[in-house]
Amino acid sequence: SVERPASDPDAVAELLVAGREALAAQDEVVVLHGAGEAFLLAEPLREPELRELLIEVGDLIARRRRPVIAACDAPVLDGGLELALACDLRFAQHGVAVGMPAAIEGVPSVGSAQRLARFGGPSLAASALLLGETPRCGEDRRLDGVFEVVDDAGVAASAARERIASAAPLVIEALKTSLAAAASMPLDAGL
């Protein structure tokens, strides 16, 4: 859990490195929970080194054997959206803003364009990326397939973590692999 989202480049690097190490070291269900004015990352990542680190952490989240859950009770923007979309489950409180406003300022996404289009559809991805719009969870139906809107994101994520952690680990790993295949390949290949 992060009480204050990282905003300056050194804090962002520290957060991403710590996240990468924790995700690589732990073989359990993980909850990413950021509180404060933004979900985990408060500023767009302009530095190439930080963008590479963000790509690395996002790929690590997506490839882990065990699920990663995002608990979003603050705006999920730019780099924070990149991390949230890499997660297996995303819980957000009603009214949380979601988007990539920095994209129209010249800070392109490092993966959220693909993931947002897959999860929320091309209309949501286009308005978020090309127009810089920040739709709100529970208010814009296009986000319904991306985030589950709940009263308390931290409580919902913790409950999901406990439920998944109590399930058979090999079944969870197989299901995560199957879900990843469903999102990234044609039906025949996925089957």
Side-chain angles (χ1 to χ4, degrees):
S1 181
V2 176
E3 293 304 317
R4 297 206 60 209
S7 56
D8 70 82
D10 291 337
V12 169
E14 186 177 309
L15 175 70
L16 291 173
V17 168
R20 179 185 65 195
E21 291 171 359
L23 289 165
Q26 296 179 4
D27 191 27
E28 58 188 53
V29 182
V30 172
V31 173
L32 298 181
H33 187 192
E37 65 268 12
F39 174 72
L40 298 178
L41 301 173
E43 300 292 328
L45 302 185
R46 299 180 193 287
E47 296 81 5
E49 304 81 22
L50 294 178
R51 294 174 60 72
E52 288 298 320
L53 192 52
L54 179 63
I55 291 169
E56 187 179 337
V57 173
D59 288 346
L60 180 60
I61 291 169
R63 288 191 326 264
R64 286 185 90 241
R65 296 179 341 166
R66 301 273 195 253
V68 178
I69 302 167
C72 309
D73 54 10
V76 185
L77 305 173
D78 301 313
L81 180 60
E82 304 276 2
L83 291 174
L85 290 175
C87 292
D88 301 287
L89 294 168
R90 290 164 297 281
F91 295 97
Q93 290 176 194
H94 189 277
V96 165
V98 174
M100 291 287 301
I104 61 171
E105 297 170 6
V107 183
S109 78
V110 298
S112 64
Q114 295 297 312
R115 289 182 174 124
L116 194 55
R118 285 177 189 258
F119 301 149
S123 172
L124 173 63
S127 65
L129 293 162
L130 300 177
L131 300 175
E133 292 180 1
T134 54
R136 295 183 177 276
C137 293
E139 298 172 12
D140 190 321
R141 295 190 57 135
R142 296 175 300 173
L143 289 170
D144 290 353
V146 184
F147 292 86
E148 183 174 339
V149 179
V150 295
D151 291 332
D152 187 315
V155 169
S158 293
R161 181 193 176 285
E162 293 304 315
R163 189 169 181 183
I164 293 168
S166 68
L170 294 178
V171 170
I172 294 298
E173 289 174 23
L175 290 171
K176 182 169 174 172
T177 300
S178 180
L179 288 169
S184 64
M185 57 181 63
L187 178 60
D188 290 344
L191 290 174

